[in-house]
Amino acid sequence: MSERRVGTVSRGIRCPIFREGDDLAQMVVDSVLAAAESEDGFEIRDRDVVCITESVVARCQGNYATVDDIAEDVRAKFGNETIGIVWPILSRNRFSILLRGFAKGAKKVVVMLSYPSDEVGNALVSPERFYESGIDPYATVLNEEEFRKTFGEVKHQFTGVDYIEFYRDLIEGMGAEAEIIFSNRAETILDYTKNVINCDIHTRFMTRDRLKKLGANVYGLDQILTSSVNGSGFNEKYGLLGTNKATEDTVKLFPRDGQPLVDGIQKLILDKTGKCVEVMVYGDGAFKDPAGKIWELADPVVSPFYTAGLEGTPNEVKLKYLADNDFAELTGEALRDAIKQAIIDKPKESMIGNMVSEGTTPRRLTDLIGSLCDLTSGSGDKGTPVVYIQGYFDNYTSGR
């Protein structure tokens, strides 16, 4: 068996423009097989991974909701009263349409922003300016006037948007009264209203539990539009989490009922090629931008649906640790053979805590592969909503 010289390969697969009602499974399989047979082709192998961006899954499902749909659900939960919006992220794409819906379903909206940045790293204030202020962000609550007096104009470094002004204008544009405050303690909102929508993503359960214990009538984003309103889209598990702006009055929700899709694609490819590939739906990758300090994961999970072979975490040894320690006296062929044997002999169970695996962060396979997919497909005009990955489960011992 000859030695494989190429490790993991991630390919963006160009596809047709997907529309509501399309047979997504068949179109994905046709696109992958056409790419494999093209002049840039590749051989379909067992344990390759087919990855589909959540956006096209939701689009084919027609999983959309309007400002009016959101407003109706909010009114049903809070009775057209004052509501507190706790810790939304600063985003035109992710949050602006939701805020319009909340405002349309309320008499007054109190937006409580975390500071100096939101949950995913969008900065209201630069670290330098914030440090110079001497403010303790966990002890100090600021109203809008106090915030402006301290920090002045605050525009997002990439978009140039002043989100304080932007969110205020959105609320008032829907006919509701607006108030904006700044606090990093969830219970602060109860000084303004007992009706709360907590909009944090990854700390949502802790925030909701804290507020409930203090008597709040609180719902998370994941508890709004969990069922259809007037025929709207919905997501029974994630509600409005993972939404993206579709039009000025519409959002695309996170996809639902995706397990039959990934299992179906796996079966179609097996039937056509005899190869058993893994399949997953992916959203935001779990990585942080080193320049803007923005953590990309604004979706509730990286992958909501995946085939069984993608469950778990990698179980790897660190080659450089073996080379520098266990086999420090070896070189050349002897070193290569010793490392290959160590990989073959590694325990099948998790090696967390074992020195030979130190530095191999135990992240879930779906988070790692989803991040690779997000970087491959991008969020612009590449036209590759499907990513085909080969060699991900290979190691140094893998031959052809």
Side-chain angles (χ1 to χ4, degrees), residues 209-227:
D209 288 347
R210 286 171 62 187
L211 292 173
K212 276 186 176 180
K213 288 176 181 177
L214 294 170
N217 176 30
V218 56
Y219 291 85
L221 285 182
D222 57 333
Q223 295 175 307
I224 300 174
L225 280 190
T226 54
S227 59

Side-chain angles (χ1 to χ4, degrees), residues 142-325:
L142 300 173
N143 60 33
E144 186 174 352
E145 181 181 357
E146 291 167 335
F147 188 92
R148 292 292 194 189
K149 184 177 180 180
T150 304
F151 300 110
E153 185 180 61
V154 286
K155 291 189 176 181
H156 191 280
Q157 68 180 112
F158 296 133
T159 66
V161 173
D162 183 323
Y163 278 95
I164 301 170
E165 179 181 0
F166 179 56
Y167 282 177
R168 171 179 285 281
D169 288 347
L170 285 178
I171 295 166
E172 293 176 344
M174 301 308 293
E177 184 182 348
E179 184 172 0
I180 299 177
I181 60 173
F182 306 82
S183 175
N184 292 315
R185 298 172 66 247
E187 52 268 34
T188 299
I189 197 65
L190 301 182
D191 294 334
Y192 299 81
T193 179
K194 300 293 184 184
N195 297 316
V196 179
I197 301 175
N198 70 291
C199 301
D200 47 336
I201 304 163
H202 306 291
T203 56
R204 63 188 182 275
F205 298 113
M206 180 176 66
T207 300
R208 189 155 64 230
D209 288 347
R210 286 171 62 187
L211 292 173
K212 276 186 176 180
K213 288 176 181 177
L214 294 170
N217 176 30
V218 56
Y219 291 85
L221 285 182
D222 57 333
Q223 295 175 307
I224 300 174
L225 280 190
T226 54
S227 59
S228 181
V229 174
N230 297 326
S232 72
F234 65 96
N235 190 302
E236 65 280 352
K237 184 173 183 180
Y238 296 118
L240 291 177
L241 281 179
T243 57
N244 281 278
K245 179 179 178 179
T247 71
E248 292 302 321
D249 295 297
T250 309
V251 290
K252 176 187 59 59
L253 283 76
F254 214 47
R256 63 179 194 269
D257 305 326
Q259 198 59 44
L261 172 71
V262 295
D263 292 337
I265 291 173
Q266 184 181 59
K267 185 178 185 305
L268 281 171
I269 292 181
L270 179 63
D271 291 344
K272 288 180 177 290
T273 68
K275 303 298 182 181
C276 186
V277 302
E278 304 296 343
V279 185
M280 64 179 279
V281 175
Y282 69 95
D284 280 346
F287 50 84
K288 186 172 183 177
D289 176 63
K293 313 303 180 187
I294 297 172
W295 185 35
E296 292 291 333
L297 186 54
D299 286 327
V301 291
V302 172
S303 177
F305 308 107
Y306 50 88
T307 50
L310 296 177
E311 187 66 54
T313 59
N315 195 41
E316 301 173 340
V317 297
K318 200 79 166 179
L319 297 191
K320 62 185 180 182
Y321 180 88
L322 290 172
D324 290 343
N325 291 272

